């Protein structure tokens, strides 16, 4: 954990003025005073957060009085208002452990982080109508559904988990001994196996499916309404957690793909955000970009183990892939990997260079509204996800040669939620078309007689909230007025010189 910068107090004071409250939800950092602790402040007050969940108010009132991971449930409660206006009416699950992990990287953690209010709209700096990244419960709530022969059939359960639990749970179901859920230093992973939802049994093939940014509440609502028959089929054969799985902070894509697939938080795996600064190399790192998507091993630390590496350590080679990573950046150790195919192509443009070879989105059998293809990201998502379905059907052509662990990342759901915000026509269209691909895959498993043998996991990397286009502005002038040298990556990750 870094020492506090000499200008730290001035920076926090400048960012916690009432004038910035519409756009700044919280300023967060970590430090030592005796024990390592996390801190949060805004215009209402400041608090010290200990790892065991204890809050010590330092000034004013506690800016984050709730850490309830089940806040805004049932789903009607989330839909009833456009989003909390104050941090005191929001919830921030596992605030201390998540912040302590985020701030524990010696080179890549910023000095402090600014959490946008859910309503902040910042299109000039990359913001969208639908956004995520916050410490808050809705942007951190990813769906989690487990289904298959090793899963207790509970239907919709009033429960939650954490995304760091997903990889360890998949690894154990696939045959990794629980006592080997450790990194290369022998330290246990941060997540835990979700035994309360599992049945004992032999290792079986596991298929993990990620719908990037799929909104937990809306996904379950549509499944219950009969609009997502594939998801409903999974829930019939297992469990859907109402509280989903809590993302790591920041609730952004690559940080959480990495946390899912390694079982550890960002301070350990090193992917601090979709963009961050590395003091050791003096470089700004932008891992979450189509042009760099296939280079994850360059920023993922060597001492963490991916679930693919864990499977490779325990499942003997048999002449076909033991594990497969479809359209996933964090693919290290997978026998089959889309990103490895891109690396092998030698095209320096990465996934961008392969766009010409992707299926035509205009002839996709899964995209219903051609107008959505005018959004470039959505259109690319349709292409990538159609190719993903082709890959998983090939990998699962014959159950006798199918991987023990298959991981299939889907993109279009993130595009739909960014473009329209949660519950929008575009977001729901992205969920429906992802469900149609899921149905195609489940029908395929059924046709080859494998559906009863496979454990299926459906999750995402973060949630989403809708911004308010009338709430704009930037904190940059407040920082500039201090006359100090700083970098702001994200925006919101503040590195002081
Ligand atoms: Zn994402």
């Amino acid at each position: 954990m870094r020492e506090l910068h000499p200008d730290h107090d001035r920076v926090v004071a400048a960012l916690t003025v009432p004038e910035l409250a519409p756009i700044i939800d919280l300023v967060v950092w970590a430090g030592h005073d005796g024990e390592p602790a996390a801190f949060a402040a805004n215009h209402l007050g400041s608090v010290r957060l200990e790892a065991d969940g204890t809050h010590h108010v330092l000034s004013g009132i506690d800016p984050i009085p709730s850490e309830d991971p089940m806040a805004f449930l049932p789903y009607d409660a989330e839909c009833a208002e456009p989003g909390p206006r104050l941090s005191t009416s929001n919830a921030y699950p596992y605030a201390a452990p998540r912040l302590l992990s985020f701030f524990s990287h010696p080179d890549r953690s910023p000095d402090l982080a600014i959490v946008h209010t859910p309503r902040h709209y910042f299109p000039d700096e990359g913001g969208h109508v639908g956004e995520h990244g916050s410490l808050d419960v809705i942007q951190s709530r990813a769906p989690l559904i487990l289904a298959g022969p090793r899963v207790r059939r509970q239907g919709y359960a009033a429960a939650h988990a954490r995304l760091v639990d997903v990889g360890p749970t998949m690894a154990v179901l696939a045959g990794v001994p629980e006592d080997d859920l450790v990194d290369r230093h022998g330290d246990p992973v941060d997540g835990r196996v979700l035994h309360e939802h599992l049945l004992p049994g032999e290792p079986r093939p596991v298929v993990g499916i990620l719908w990037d940014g799929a909104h937990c509440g809306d996904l379950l609502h549509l499944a219950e309404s009969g609009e997502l028959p594939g998801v409903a089929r999974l829930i019939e054969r297992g469990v859907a957690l109402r509280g989903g799985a809590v993302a790591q902070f920041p609730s952004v894509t690559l940080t959480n793909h990495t946390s899912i697939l390694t079982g550890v938080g960002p301070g350990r795996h090193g992917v601090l955000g979709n963009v961050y600064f590395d003091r050791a190399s003096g470089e700004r790192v932008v891992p979450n970009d189509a042009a760099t998507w296939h280079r994850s091993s360059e920023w993922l630390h060597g001492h963490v183990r991916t679930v693919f590496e864990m499977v490779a350590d325990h499942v003997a080679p048999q002449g076909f892939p033991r594990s497969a990573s479809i359209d996933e950046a964090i693919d290290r150790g997978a026998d089959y990997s889309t990103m490895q195919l891109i690396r092998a192509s030698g095209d320096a443009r990465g996934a961008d260079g392969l766009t010409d070879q992707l299926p035509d989105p205009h002839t996709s059998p899964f995209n219903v509204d051609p107008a959505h293809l005018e959004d470039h990201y959505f259109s690319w998502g349709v292409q990538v996800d159609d190719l993903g379905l082709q890959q998983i059907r090939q990998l699962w052509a014959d159950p006798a040669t199918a991987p023990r662990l298959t991981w299939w990342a889907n993109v279009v759901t993130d595009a739909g939620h960014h473009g329209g915000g949660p519950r929008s026509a575009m977001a729901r269209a992205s969920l429906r078309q992802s469900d149609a691909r899921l149905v195609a895959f489940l029908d395929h498993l059924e046709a080859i007689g494998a559906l009863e043998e496979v454990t299926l996991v459906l999750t995402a990397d973060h949630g989403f909230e809708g911004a308010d286009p009338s709430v704009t502005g930037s904190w940059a002038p407040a920082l500039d007025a201090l006359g100090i040298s700083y970098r702001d990556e994200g925006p919101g990750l503040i590195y002081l010189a």
Side-chain angles (χ1 to χ4, degrees):
M1 208 142 291
R2 299 181 66 74
E3 296 295 320
L4 290 187
H5 190 277
D7 289 317
H8 176 85
D9 290 347
R10 288 177 65 217
V11 174
V12 173
L15 294 170
T16 53
V17 293
E19 295 73 34
L20 287 173
I23 66 169
I24 295 182
D25 195 37
L26 296 167
V27 179
V28 292
W29 67 95
H32 281 289
D33 52 357
E35 290 295 301
F39 296 83
N42 65 17
H43 66 294
L44 300 172
S46 60
V47 64
R48 174 192 156 100
L49 307 161
E50 294 181 2
D52 66 1
T54 309
H55 289 212
H56 293 287
V57 177
L58 301 175
S59 65
I61 62 169
D62 187 346
I64 55 168
S66 174
E67 296 193 25
D68 182 8
M70 303 296 280
F72 302 108
L73 290 170
Y75 185 44
D76 289 347
E78 181 186 335
C79 302
E81 43 177 330
R85 294 188 174 237
L86 288 173
S87 65
T88 45
S89 56
N90 207 336
Y92 303 84
Y94 301 100
R98 291 197 288 157
L99 292 173
L100 286 168
S101 178
F102 175 72
F103 284 107
S104 66
H105 197 285
D107 304 316
R108 301 177 185 177
S109 297
D111 289 278
L112 50 89
I114 302 169
V115 179
H116 298 259
T117 62
R119 300 160 67 225
H120 188 205
Y121 182 56
F122 49 103
D124 297 343
E125 295 170 283
H128 301 81
V129 179
E131 208 38 89
H132 58 92
S134 169
L135 188 70
D136 82 8
V137 62
I138 299 299
Q139 293 185 35
S140 303
R141 179 180 285 157
L144 182 58
I145 296 166
L146 308 168
R150 295 282 307 275
V151 181
R152 289 179 55 212
R153 295 196 176 198
Q154 303 161 82
Y156 294 85
H160 78 282
R162 300 179 61 185
L163 281 181
V164 285
D165 302 332
V166 174
T169 300
M170 292 195 302
V172 164
L173 287 166
V176 175
E178 193 161 351
D179 62 8
D180 195 38
L181 296 174
V182 297
D183 66 18
R184 299 214 183 277
H185 301 317
D187 295 324
V189 297
D190 296 337
R192 67 181 185 87
V193 179
L194 298 169
H195 285 294
E196 66 271 33
H197 303 299
L198 304 183
L199 298 166
E202 293 298 304
R204 303 207 191 218
V206 176
V207 176
I209 302 170
L210 179 137
W211 290 359
D212 202 296
H215 186 282
C216 180
D218 214 44
L219 180 141
L220 297 183
H221 163 70
L222 293 179
E224 283 181 292
S225 312
E227 292 194 55
L228 300 179
V231 174
R233 264 165 91 179
L234 296 183
I235 298 170
E236 276 168 26
R237 323 167 75 78
V239 63
L241 308 191
R242 288 281 187 200
V246 180
Q248 290 293 303
F249 178 77
S251 53
V252 298
T253 293
L254 209 59
T255 298
N256 281 288
H257 282 240
T258 315
S259 288
I260 291 168
L261 293 168
T262 62
V264 303
R268 289 176 69 181
H269 62 56
V271 183
L272 273 281
N274 290 337
V275 49
Y276 56 87
F277 183 67
D278 187 317
R279 294 184 186 82
S281 65
E283 281 176 346
R284 179 175 191 259
V285 184
V286 188
N288 192 47
D289 185 277
T292 53
W293 211 28
H294 55 300
R295 290 169 49 198
S296 66
S297 61
E298 294 172 38
W299 33 81
L300 174 63
H301 286 319
H303 64 266
V304 301
R305 285 161 83 211
T306 67
V307 289
F308 308 114
E309 291 169 327
M310 291 180 186
V311 166
D313 287 343
H314 293 282
V315 178
Q318 289 168 302
F320 52 85
R322 293 163 295 186
S323 64
S325 165
I326 300 170
D327 297 339
E328 170 59 59
I330 306 303
D331 66 333
R332 205 175 65 199
D335 286 343
Y336 170 94
S337 160
T338 316
M339 298 305 147
Q340 177 55 30
L341 299 175
I342 294 172
R343 289 190 291 269
S345 77
D347 192 320
R349 293 172 297 166
D352 272 346
L354 291 196
T355 300
D356 307 345
Q357 297 168 45
L358 290 170
D360 180 355
H362 297 278
T363 59
S364 170
F366 299 103
N367 189 64
V368 173
D369 187 346
H372 291 150
L373 299 180
E374 290 164 21
D375 179 306
H376 177 263
Y377 181 31
F378 194 102
S379 175
W380 184 72
V382 171
Q383 294 181 280
V384 170
D385 294 352
D386 280 355
L387 183 66
L389 179 60
Q390 286 179 28
Q391 292 174 82
I392 200 166
R393 291 175 82 140
Q394 285 164 11
L395 286 157
W396 274 88
D398 178 350
T401 59
R404 183 71 68 81
L405 175 66
T406 307
W407 177 253
W408 175 21
N410 290 248
V411 176
V412 75
T413 37
D414 192 60
H417 286 77
H418 272 305
R423 298 175 281 282
S424 65
M426 193 178 191
R428 287 180 165 174
S430 73
L431 290 170
R432 289 191 196 98
Q433 71 167 265
S434 298
D435 191 79
R437 291 188 191 88
L438 172 62
V439 166
F441 178 58
L442 295 177
D443 286 347
H444 171 76
L445 287 181
E446 198 157 34
I448 62 171
L451 188 56
E452 302 304 321
E453 299 301 315
V454 179
T455 305
L456 290 139
V457 176
L458 177 65
T459 190
D461 49 348
H462 48 77
F464 260 102
E465 277 176 297
D468 179 344
S470 72
V471 180
T472 57
S474 167
W475 50 71
L479 289 174
D480 293 342
L482 294 173
I484 58 169
S485 176
Y486 72 95
R487 313 178 63 96
D488 181 357
E489 303 292 359
L493 276 56
I494 307 297
Y495 297 82
L496 302 174

